[in-house]
Amino acid sequence: MVGLVVVGHSRALATAAVALASEMTQGRPLAVEVAAGLDETTFGTDAVAISEAITAADSGDGVVVLMDMGSAVLSAELALEMVDEPDRVILSPAPLVEGLIAAAVAAASGADRHEVADEAANGLAGKQSHFQPESPAEEQRGGTRFKVVNEHGLHARPAARLVTEVRAFDARVELRNATTGSGWVPASSLTRVATLGALQNHELEVRGQGREAAEAVNRVVALAAIGFGDTDAAAANHSHAGGASPGVGIGPAVHLSEKPIELPDAPSQGSDIEWRRLTEALQKTRDEIGRLHSPIFDAHLLLLEDDDLLTDVRARLDRGEPAPQAWSAATTRIADEFDALPDPYLKGRAADVRAVAQQVLRALLKLPPPTLDGDGVLLAADLTPADAAALDPKRIAGVVLASGSPTSHAAILTRTRGIPAVVGAGPRILEIPDGTLVAMDGGTGDVVADPSPGVLAAYREKARQHDERRAEAAQHASAASATGTGVTIDVGANVGSVEDARAAAANGADLAGLVRTEFLFLDRDQAPTVDEQVAVYREIAQALGGRRITLRTLDAGSDKPLPYLPPPTEANPFLGVRGLRHSLTHPEMFAEQLTAIVRVARETPVSIMFPMVTTVDELKAARAMLAEAGDAPGLQVGMMVEVPAAALRAADFIPYVDFFSIGTNDLTQYTLAAERGNAALSNLTAGLDPAVAQLIDHVCRAAGDTVLVSVCGELAGDEEVVPRLIASGVRELSVAPGLVPLVKRAVRAA
Ligand code: PEP
Ligand code: MG
């Protein structure tokens, strides 16, 4: 690959220019060196440093040097006299920033040094044409039309994606802007594409010549439909990396690994039946991907609708192959085709094809999700709640997710497990190879791959301080906590398994303020029986030494669908049949759960609460079913307040409950109309929003001394929010087990 060297007076400027250019290469590596400034802050240029940078950047294909001005140019010329192979070096007269970006895209897609230098030299073309829009239009015909959907038009990042992909085809592809009546430009040149001035809703035409012209044109049109992979959410992924679970994780990168799937021997049941099986699996996969809300998976969705692939599969089914075999053979063919491409970026797409192919096969064969192989820092696009629940804190030092947000269920589960986590770190993290040392801080959201010894030492020190703080808080963890003015606040733990309950006890939890019973229902083929439920609830109570446990009835639906009661396809599952609505629609299963809870409540202190209550009628219906299930002295009955309607009408619910438990995760999501798992909205969903604070105040005022108000959403674990909640009138908090000692400390300080 052609190397690049950036020569300038300011190191900060050069480094930032390199960062900007690297954004444009679609995650593909770039050999770029900076020789700028005399040190971090002193302006100046140094010929020796430049010659060393040239040598470092040259892997045999030569180097293109970009400079700012004055002594940078003179020093670069001087440096040329010091290098061994000056013939391989081109000093580019291009403007530094624009030239570097154009050069970077060309170099990363395998252009030779002359092409790279030409691209750089053309770097100003886009800007020039922008200021001379009256340039003569050529009247041309004959292309395929598509619309630019990107909000900011075909700006640098989507244009870079277009150019990169087009270059991989054996075709000469051209584009013109039909809306402005521009002339044709080669689609293989970023700088020429920039001259199209393509804005949102402009119509472009694409045409091609050569062996793979048709494929190339189709690819461009398909890419255009997904905004060239640059949705706003994709952009936001880069800027909203956030801490999701505190703590420092250091270890080798690990990814979720796919065990090879064995195809069963069953013969075809006829091509129509097999086709239906496949279509259902495709739909299931589409739903699964849709639930992740991540533009990272747009390419996967595209594949599920790929005509070429589906025609091939259909033909195989018609020849008598069963669906798994046909799907597997057809997707392997596509993955192999990607593998054979010389371009490393497109080669990498073979992995995408294999991943989605496996996902469909799993759906087709009703197999469990992939497992984790190896110990270290887990890097993943996102995790389903089931994946996250399976994480073992002894093996996983930390989790870094490309998408997600701090109140997504996956993030909550990492916090419950005490595993440091960062969410919304952007798709680049997926390209960090297995085994690379990664250091991450789940408090700040920082992630470093391959840290220098100094950085590593700093992370180790942070980890030590974190452990020390925890240990200090742990010393007082089992004592009751009261505020400075003597108000006792019970601090409970949110648990999702027996193991969590043990962690809760070890961390001094006063109770289990929220038992997410979903864990018993997800990830299996049928609902647990009454006896099974009784056994597990009992075990949780025992693990907590007989302290009160608050069993929340099943909160299925939305992002936690039950495999054996698949929800109807819902356009907005979070606004759909979830929580109590789901239980009331499946009364038999609900009745069994209520029976199990009542049975346990006869043995040990139990509270029951219903999730996602919206209306008084729903609550009454639930209470009527609970009454059917029998009596248990001491059983406290409560509801979650996580829908704004319920918060606003808190007073109307009071006759039917002993307590309210505010679920700030959902209450925030529904109040701000911002889905909790959507990384692009984490600026809205993180922290205590004033509107949510008002709703909490309102609930507390309505509750007065009649019913207890607890908070079990993630905000209860935020040490800075705790005093505000207590001031509102909240008297119980329930948090991830590992946070209990820290929250108790915050209570004592309040
Ligand atoms: C909440 O919504 O705040 C809550 C505690 O419930 P869950 O996170 O399980 O939806
Ligand atoms: Mg909730």
Side-chain angles (χ1 to χ4, degrees), residues 653-674:
F653 290 95
I654 286 179
Y656 308 98
V657 289
D658 300 312
F659 66 95
F660 288 136
S661 184
I662 302 181
T664 50
N665 308 331
D666 281 315
L667 189 59
T668 304
Q669 134 165 297
Y670 295 130
T671 303
L672 299 177

Side-chain angles (χ1 to χ4, degrees), residues 409 412 514 516 552 555 560 578 640 642 663-666 676 712-713:
H409 283 112
I412 292 172
L514 163 62
R516 289 187 167 96
R552 179 176 73 181
D555 186 17
K560 295 181 285 196
R578 69 167 292 211
M640 293 207 56
E642 47 186 353
T664 50
N665 308 331
D666 281 315
R676 59 197 277 180
C712 65

Side-chain angles (χ1 to χ4, degrees), residues 720-747:
E720 284 171 18
V721 175
V722 166
R724 173 75 173 77
L725 297 176
I726 295 174
S728 295
V730 171
R731 291 293 172 265
E732 184 184 296
L733 300 165
S734 193
V735 302
L739 297 182
V740 169
L742 298 171
V743 170
K744 284 196 170 183
R745 198 173 67 165
V747 168

Side-chain angles (χ1 to χ4, degrees), residues 311-326:
T311 313
D312 183 11
V313 176
R314 185 82 226 212
R316 288 171 193 269
L317 297 180
D318 289 342
R319 289 200 296 270
E321 288 181 30
Q325 274 72 2

